[in-house]
Each structure stands twice: as structure tokens, then as C-alpha cells.
Amino acid sequence: MNIILLGPPGAGKGTQAGRLVEKRDMIQLSTGDMLRAAKTSGTEMGKRVAEVMDRGELVTDEIVIGLIREQLEGDKKGGFIFDGFPRTLAQADALAALLEDCGETLDAVIEMQVNDEVLVDRIVGRAAEAVAAGGTARADDNAESLKVRLMAYYKQTSPLIGYYHAKGDLTSIDGLASMDEVEASIAGVLG
Ligand code: AMP
């Protein structure tokens, strides 16, 4: 089973993906995590995307599609969870083609609905927690980048809601419920 978790930054996609990995042996494919790893390891691509990511803008479709393509070639285990990908219509089309090429299907797209006020609180809270724990906040977890990230979501990613609805793949759930309730809603969709 291959699924997409769709929703703005801070909606809880990563948390729920983590639970699906544990409970269903699925593989989490987070382009954000892959890009952050590339940034940290100082690869040529990492250097190229660092500033764009820190500003909160989207990196090019070509880069993220390339990252996903590489991952689809490996072990598929309980299926893929696409977390933070696709974020543009071009990425959605590319994903459809990639899945078809490897004989896979897209089984569900789950939209996690939340409101902006909660997102800002969550993300600012996430940054403060990281710092309190002695770590450093994500470079893009600050109010300025967050505004850009939210705009990128509404302008470039939210059209995917209509796209997947038209394909009959979309289910929207309440992302503001507790983590356990959200997990139960997702389980209800996946069966
Ligand atoms: P995330 O951890 O999903 O919030 O992603 C962090 C940042 O990585 C985003 O703000 C973008 O700069 C970049 N990014 C992650 N996934 C994508 C994607 N599918 N397309 C373009 N940029 C992405």
C-alpha cells in the first residue's frame, strides 16, 4: 500500500508517518528529511538547496523527483508513505509516472486539515522545544520562513487537494485532533 500524507508544514505528517513505519512496516519517504541530510553532509546538491530551504521556498521539482526516484528502486516493505512529496502538480504527475514504471499504485491520499494559527503555534513551539533540549531549531522553523512556507503551501501545494479529489484518491481528516485520534482516522482510511 502506497500513500501520500498531504498537509501544510506542522500538520503532523512526520509524526503520523513515524507511527505507520512502526505499525505497518511501511517506508517513510520524506523529501524534507532527505534534503536536510544532503545539506548536513555538504553534498553539492545540499549546498545548492540550503538557502532556498532556509528561506522556506520550494526546491526545484527536478531535485526532489530525483530523490524519490532513487528510493523507489529499493525494498518496498509494507509500502511507501510519501511525506512532504509531492508539493506541486508537476511532482504529482511525476510520482504517478514513477509508480506506474515500477508496477505500483497509489492507494490513498490523506489530507490532514489544520488551521494556520495552530500551525504557527506548533512550529514556534517545535523550535523552542528543540532549543530547550539543548539542540538547535530547524533553520526554517522561525516566523519569517514559516510565512513563506505557508504561502508556498497555499500557492503551489494546495492545488493537489483538487487534483487528487478529482482522481478519487483523496480523504480529508481532522489534523487538529489528538495524535492518537489522527492515527485512528488514518487507520480507518487504510483499513
Ligand atoms: P519539510 O520538512 O517537508 O517541511 O521540508 C522542508 C523544506 O524542504 C521545504 O520548506 C522545502 O524547502 C524543501 N522541500 C521538501 N520537500 C519538498 C518538495 N517535495 N518539493 C520542493 N521542496 C521541498
Side-chain angles (χ1 to χ4, degrees), residues 39-115:
K39 236 177 93 172
T40 318
S41 62
T43 61
E44 204 43 55
M45 188 263 278
K47 284 183 208 154
R48 257 194 296 152
V49 300
E51 276 183 32
V52 178
M53 289 177 72
D54 292 352
R55 279 202 301 273
E57 293 166 10
L58 296 188
V59 310
T60 65
D61 290 333
E62 198 191 352
I63 288 179
V64 289
I65 292 165
L67 288 171
I68 290 289
R69 182 184 293 118
E70 280 171 24
Q71 299 296 320
L72 295 188
E73 285 160 8
D75 186 0
K76 296 180 178 58
K77 291 184 158 182
F80 297 112
I81 309 154
F82 298 97
D83 161 12
F85 178 93
R87 264 173 152 100
T88 64
L89 290 167
Q91 292 177 23
D93 282 337
L95 177 61
L98 287 173
L99 287 172
E100 197 182 338
D101 282 352
C102 59
E104 292 287 316
T105 52
L106 181 62
D107 301 291
V109 179
I110 300 176
E111 183 211 355
M112 300 174 65
Q113 292 181 321
V114 284
N115 70 41

Side-chain angles (χ1 to χ4, degrees), residues 31 55 63 70 107 134 153 155 170-171 174 181:
T31 39
R55 279 202 301 273
I63 288 179
E70 280 171 24
D107 301 291
Y153 180 77
K155 274 193 188 165
L170 190 81
T171 307
D174 177 13
E181 284 167 330

Side-chain angles (χ1 to χ4, degrees), residues 13 16 25 40 50 52 60 64 76 80 92 94 105-106 111 119 128 137 140 144 146 148 159 164-165:
K13 303 184 296 291
Q16 295 300 329
D25 197 30
T40 318
V52 178
T60 65
V64 289
K76 296 180 178 58
F80 297 112
T105 52
L106 181 62
E111 183 211 355
L119 293 180
D140 59 352
E144 209 171 299
L146 178 58
V148 180
Y164 285 119
H165 176 69

